[in-house]
């Protein structure tokens, strides 16, 4: 494959899967400017790594998630601790494919606030879970075992149930 064909293939795959890049960037950014910077950084890292992408080993979307999440998590770790966890607001929902509800639902807002408080790895796990990715794919993307994926999801759900129950006054 010539370098021009290689570049066209990359551009085509990235265009086809760009929604993933925007979801990840939206979930890990603190502002619109941060989101734009993160999209650029993820795209640059994808291009730098594309020569090592092996279709026989992983689907492109799995490979893309892994790189995008690694870049986003690395970026999130560089921010001061007080800036790391932010409730998801309308700009986050737009960028991760959610649709703001005309009349805000308190439970949905509570869920978004909960996700915004998760550490970067668990936030990535929930993103993949909400995308209906298999435990096997989540494990591959995050570099952890399927058992660890199942355990973490179970703990997150338990914590969420506890918060939702506490907030409803039950």
């Amino acid at each position: 494959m010539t370098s021009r064909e290689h570049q066209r293939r990359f551009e085509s795959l990235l265009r086809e899967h760009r929604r993933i890049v925007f979801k990840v960037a939206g979930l890990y950014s603190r502002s619109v400017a941060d989101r734009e910077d993160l999209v650029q950084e993820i795209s640059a890292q994808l291009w730098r790594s594309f020569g090592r992408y092996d279709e026989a080993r992983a689907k492109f979307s799995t490979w893309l998630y892994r790189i995008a999440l690694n870049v986003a998590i690395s970026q999130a770790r560089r921010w001061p601790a007080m800036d790391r966890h932010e409730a998801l607001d309308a700009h986050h929902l737009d960028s991760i494919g959610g649709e703001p509800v005309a009349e805000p639902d308190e439970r949905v807002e509570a869920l978004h606030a909960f996700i915004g408080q998760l550490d970067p790895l668990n936030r990535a796990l929930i993103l993949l879970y909400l995308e209906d990715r298999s435990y096997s794919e989540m494990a591959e993307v995050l570099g952890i075992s399927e058992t660890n994926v199942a355990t973490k999801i179970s703990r997150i759900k338990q914590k969420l149930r506890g918060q939702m129950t506490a907030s409803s006054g039950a």
Side-chain angles (χ1 to χ4, degrees):
M1 180 181 302
T2 68
S3 64
R4 186 70 182 137
E5 291 169 331
H6 182 75
Q7 182 177 349
R8 282 190 194 125
R9 172 111 172 98
F10 172 77
E11 289 169 355
S12 173
L13 287 167
L14 186 58
R15 213 175 7 263
E16 181 181 338
H17 297 281
R18 70 181 177 272
R19 188 174 147 262
I20 294 171
V21 174
F22 287 104
K23 281 186 178 196
V24 170
L27 194 60
Y28 285 88
S29 61
R30 302 171 300 174
S31 67
V32 173
D34 285 346
R35 182 181 66 210
E36 291 169 359
D37 290 346
L38 192 50
V39 165
Q40 288 294 330
E41 185 58 35
I42 290 169
S43 298
Q45 186 58 46
L46 287 166
W47 173 244
R48 286 191 291 270
S49 303
F50 189 62
R52 295 185 302 274
Y53 169 60
D54 181 0
E55 285 183 68
R57 288 195 52 222
K59 294 188 304 185
F60 184 78
S61 61
T62 301
W63 177 82
L64 188 150
Y65 262 122
R66 183 169 210 158
I67 290 174
L69 287 167
N70 283 335
V71 170
I73 289 169
S74 293
Q75 179 67 39
R77 287 183 177 144
R78 287 186 218 125
W79 292 327
M82 64 185 213
D83 289 342
R84 275 193 201 150
H85 306 298
E86 167 187 343
L88 300 179
D89 61 18
H91 103 267
H92 291 99
L93 293 177
D94 288 342
S95 64
I96 62 175
E99 295 183 21
V101 181
E103 297 197 21
D105 180 331
E106 290 177 18
R107 292 180 60 102
V108 172
E109 287 178 1
L111 176 62
H112 292 164
F114 174 79
I115 292 170
Q117 294 172 5
L118 294 173
D119 65 77
L121 178 64
N122 285 329
R123 203 181 291 188
L125 187 61
I126 288 301
L127 171 65
L128 295 168
Y129 179 79
L130 293 173
E131 287 281 309
D132 291 325
R133 300 295 173 161
S134 69
Y135 281 18
S136 173
E137 187 173 0
M138 287 185 238
E140 184 178 347
V141 167
L142 298 173
I144 60 178
S145 70
E146 285 184 55
T147 303
N148 199 349
V149 166
T151 301
K152 285 181 173 294
I153 287 174
S154 177
R155 288 179 182 159
I156 291 168
K157 285 179 177 179
Q158 185 176 22
K159 184 177 177 183
L160 175 61
R161 270 189 227 100
Q163 280 193 356
M164 296 300 265
T165 301
S167 71
S168 68

